[in-house]
């Protein structure tokens, strides 16, 4: 039973990691949409920058997630 408990724990940790990773993508999309709906040029540039940073963070974490999946 101990092995099953260990697998459950690893699965919960992985699910949390996947959820946090997809949160980055959702946040990036939100900032992208905010950028498209603002008339202020400075705000648009700022929102685009934030969106890009979040998307890059998402891609880094996504690639780490895939690497973890493949190594197990």
């Amino acid at each position: 039973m101990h092995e099953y408990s260990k697998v459950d724990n690893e699965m919960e940790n992985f699910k949390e990691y996947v959820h946090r990773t997809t949160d980055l993508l959702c946040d990036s999309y939100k900032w992208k949409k905010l950028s498209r709906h603002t008339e202020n040029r400075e705000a648009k540039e700022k929102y685009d920058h934030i969106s890009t940073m979040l998307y890059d963070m998402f891609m880094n974490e996504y690639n780490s997630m895939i690497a973890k999946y493949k190594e197990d």
Side-chain angles (χ1 to χ4, degrees):
M1 200 63 173
H2 175 69
E3 292 173 14
Y4 188 76
S5 175
K6 184 178 178 182
V7 169
D8 272 350
N9 189 41
E10 288 178 9
M11 284 303 304
E12 285 303 314
N13 290 337
F14 188 72
K15 284 180 183 180
E16 287 179 29
Y17 181 53
V18 169
H19 182 74
R20 286 191 309 268
T21 301
T22 56
D23 281 349
L24 288 169
L25 181 60
C26 291
D27 289 345
S28 172
Y29 186 71
K30 177 182 76 174
W31 285 98
K32 181 179 180 177
K33 296 305 275 185
L34 287 169
S35 170
R36 301 302 179 258
H37 288 90
T38 186
E39 299 294 324
N40 183 313
R41 187 179 64 83
E42 288 177 7
K44 181 178 186 62
E45 289 175 4
K46 181 179 179 179
Y47 297 165
D48 278 337
H49 179 70
I50 293 169
S51 176
T52 300
M53 285 179 29
L54 287 166
Y55 181 77
D56 290 345
M57 290 169 63
F58 163 76
M59 288 306 297
N60 286 336
E61 292 305 317
Y62 175 79
N63 289 331
S64 294
M65 182 174 45
I66 296 303
K68 180 171 178 48
Y69 176 83
K70 288 183 178 181
E71 74 186 24
D72 281 344

